[in-house]
Amino acid sequence: MPSALPLADPAPLDGLLPTSARDGAEGRNFGVYVHVPFCRVRCGYCDFNTYTSDELRGAKRADYAGQAAQEIALASTVMDALPTRPASTVFFGGGTPTLLPVGDLTSIFAAITSTWGLAPGAEVTTEANPDSVDLAYLTALKAAGFTRVSFGMQSAVPHVLATLERTHDPARIPLVVEWAREAGLDVSLDLIYGTPGESLDDWRASLEQALAQNPDHISAYALIVEDGTKLARQIRRGEVATPDDDVQADMYELADAMLSAAGYEWYEVSNWSRGEGHESRHNLAYWQGHDWWGVGPGAHSHVGGVRWWNVKHPAAYADRIAVGDSPAAGRETLDAETRETERVLLATRVRDGLVIADLAPTGRTAVAGLIADGLVDAATAIRGRIELTLRGRLLADAVVRRLLE
Ligand SMILES: C[S@@+](CC[C@H](N)C(=O)[O-])C[C@H]1O[C@@H](n2cnc3c(N)ncnc32)[C@H](O)[C@@H]1O
Ligand code: SF4
């Protein structure tokens, strides 16, 4: 079951932003996230805002592209109050965006480009499940202007995929990657490590399989046991073991060693790219506090320190859109202190992401101790920036706490 929404102020039904959201907009990029809240089945570990056909309460997948275009029209009116900025990045995530017919994705994308235009060299990504695309689908995405596809590979090992309740056949990964390349798309692979029952050798095999595809980008996430998921219930009942923190740390170290040896560079704690130009610029924009509009049920947006989130269920979203109201469920305007805390929290995780001189005096003082404890790289600090060491990446939350003390 998807997790609950944050508590905050009600959002106005016209979606209009306070004038403070305009401040400094020229210095921030603008991106668009489109949330596609549908999956064929729900994986046991996942608490993302996504719904199978049985859970739609009358909402129809076939209506979604039109509804998203209506939200984009509303967004266009709201964003007219800010300086005009073309979209630097567009990201379709889910859920499973590729469960929709390709024409639905391309028509939503066309609504985005006709509303805001695209910045030169814009990055346009969709997530995809390996069993939901073929060559024709990927070719149509490329023809429409998509530049990148991110496949949810998760693991190459059948028993790990079974514990995760993933439905795709791992043998399909080389095929879909080949099709994406043939279509001319950059390829990213998502992996998960630390699944109960997964050995270090299993994880090595998954990394080897991922590297054998020569993707442009790899994300490796430690499995998080989210409250309310089937996996959490299985663990509570003792049917499945709890993921072990020490094993997950060993797996992270193995991932970093194998990916570095293969020529990939980490640029965020869970992300490695095949050199500059292959990072996920959309995700970097989140970590760097830029502006983005999130379209769709449960999507979050951030513009100039104002953050809001849409109603979660596709049926509630459809109701709001049908009467021309903003689908926002709540919003908050971040005060200067909260913005600074979030900036440090996000930028610390990005390699070279934080300028030491921009920290509060207590944060600057903490840097020497972090270097002494082997958590922050000394050479980068001499150049005035924070870069986490491997140990620092494993303890990133603790580093952030010490920088903010
Ligand atoms: C929400 S999915 C959307 C993409 C697509 N539906 C898929 O699963 O391949 C995006 C990524 O989030 C990661 N993810 C989802 N739930 C997670 C969890 N509980 N722990 C770690 N990673 C998770 C998975 O690696 C997944 O590829
Ligand atoms: S396919 Fe992706 S979004 Fe859907 S349930 Fe599985 S992990 Fe979650």
Side-chain angles (χ1 to χ4, degrees):
M1 184 195 292
S3 52
L5 286 169
L7 295 171
D9 306 330
L13 286 178
D14 57 13
L16 292 180
L17 295 171
T19 50
S20 63
R22 288 181 215 160
D23 298 344
E26 293 87 353
R28 299 188 300 267
N29 285 343
F30 175 62
V32 183
Y33 172 74
V34 180
H35 188 71
V36 181
F38 311 116
C39 284
R40 201 170 52 74
V41 288
R42 177 180 288 278
C43 310
Y45 61 93
C46 179
D47 85 334
F48 278 63
N49 189 44
T50 188
Y51 303 84
T52 60
S53 328
D54 295 348
E55 299 167 338
L56 284 175
R57 288 195 233 137
K60 293 190 188 65
R61 280 186 205 157
D63 294 341
Y64 180 65
Q67 292 159 355
Q70 280 178 263
E71 184 181 350
I72 291 163
L74 172 105
S76 162
T77 312
V78 172
M79 295 299 284
D80 273 351
L82 277 83
T84 311
R85 290 170 295 172
S88 297
T89 59
V90 179
F91 194 102
F92 285 70
T96 307
T98 47
L99 203 55
L100 294 179
V102 70
D104 285 3
L105 294 197
T106 58
S107 75
I108 298 170
F109 180 54
I112 292 167
T113 53
S114 65
T115 301
W116 290 292
L118 280 187
E123 175 191 277
V124 184
T125 307
T126 185
E127 291 181 334
N129 283 28
D131 49 9
S132 64
V133 289
D134 57 18
L135 177 59
Y137 197 106
L138 294 163
T139 306
L141 287 178
K142 174 70 183 176
F146 284 66
T147 62
R148 192 170 175 272
V149 60
S150 171
F151 291 115
M153 171 177 171
Q154 320 307 354
S155 170
V157 178
H159 78 86
V160 175
L161 289 169
T163 304
L164 292 173
E165 299 194 324
R166 297 292 298 196
T167 52
H168 68 266
D169 174 359
R172 211 174 151 77
I173 295 292
L175 262 183
V176 292
V177 171
E178 196 185 311
W179 289 335
R181 290 212 178 293
E182 203 176 322
L185 295 162
D186 266 23
V187 173
S188 178
L189 296 176
D190 275 0
L191 296 171
I192 287 185
Y193 60 90
T195 300
E198 182 181 36
S199 68
L200 204 57
D201 282 342
D202 290 333
W203 176 232
R204 185 179 290 107
S206 291
L207 287 163
E208 279 166 357
Q209 279 296 313
L211 285 170
Q213 311 315 316
N214 200 20
D216 302 289
H217 182 278
I218 293 184
S219 303
Y221 301 112
L223 178 68
I224 297 171
V225 180
E226 304 283 3
D227 285 346
T229 58
K230 181 172 171 194
L231 178 66
R233 287 193 293 280
Q234 288 170 318
I235 290 175
R236 209 173 40 243
R237 291 197 297 257
E239 294 160 14
V240 169
T242 312
D244 182 305
D245 288 348
D246 291 337
V247 173
Q248 284 195 335
D250 290 346
M251 289 178 166
Y252 184 82
E253 288 186 18
L254 181 65
D256 191 61
M258 288 178 64
L259 295 175
S260 310
Y264 291 78
E265 291 170 17
W266 81 276
Y267 68 95
E268 193 275 344
V269 170
S270 305
N271 289 280
W272 289 258
S273 77
R274 211 176 51 180
E276 234 166 82
H278 293 292
E279 297 99 345
S280 164
R281 279 189 278 134
H282 187 81
N283 285 338
L284 274 174
Y286 292 152
W287 298 319
Q288 292 164 344
H290 290 288
D291 289 350
W292 74 91
W293 191 290
V295 175
H300 286 233
S301 302
H302 171 263
V303 176
V306 185
R307 190 160 57 187
W308 70 95
W309 44 90
N310 287 349
V311 290
K312 290 193 81 167
H313 198 280
Y317 178 80
D319 288 347
R320 290 279 191 104
I321 294 288
V323 294
D325 285 343
S326 158
R331 82 175 182 194
E332 56 192 359
T333 303
L334 307 177
D335 59 28
E337 198 185 330
T338 312
R339 284 179 85 166
E340 177 56 13
T341 303
E342 294 208 348
R343 191 184 70 80
V344 173
L345 191 87
L346 295 170
T348 305
R349 298 174 61 89
V350 177
R351 194 184 58 194
D352 236 10
L354 195 62
V355 176
I356 295 172
D358 291 347
L359 286 165
T362 48
R364 291 202 292 271
T365 310
V367 175
L370 291 166
I371 294 171
D373 293 345
L375 300 171
V376 163
D377 179 62
T380 319
I382 288 168
R383 295 200 305 275
R385 304 185 79 98
I386 297 282
E387 179 168 316
L388 298 177
T389 59
L390 180 63
R391 191 172 131 74
R393 283 185 264 156
L394 283 164
L395 297 170
D397 293 345
V399 174
V400 169
R401 275 198 300 278
R402 285 172 62 177
L403 287 172
L404 289 170
E405 254 166 21

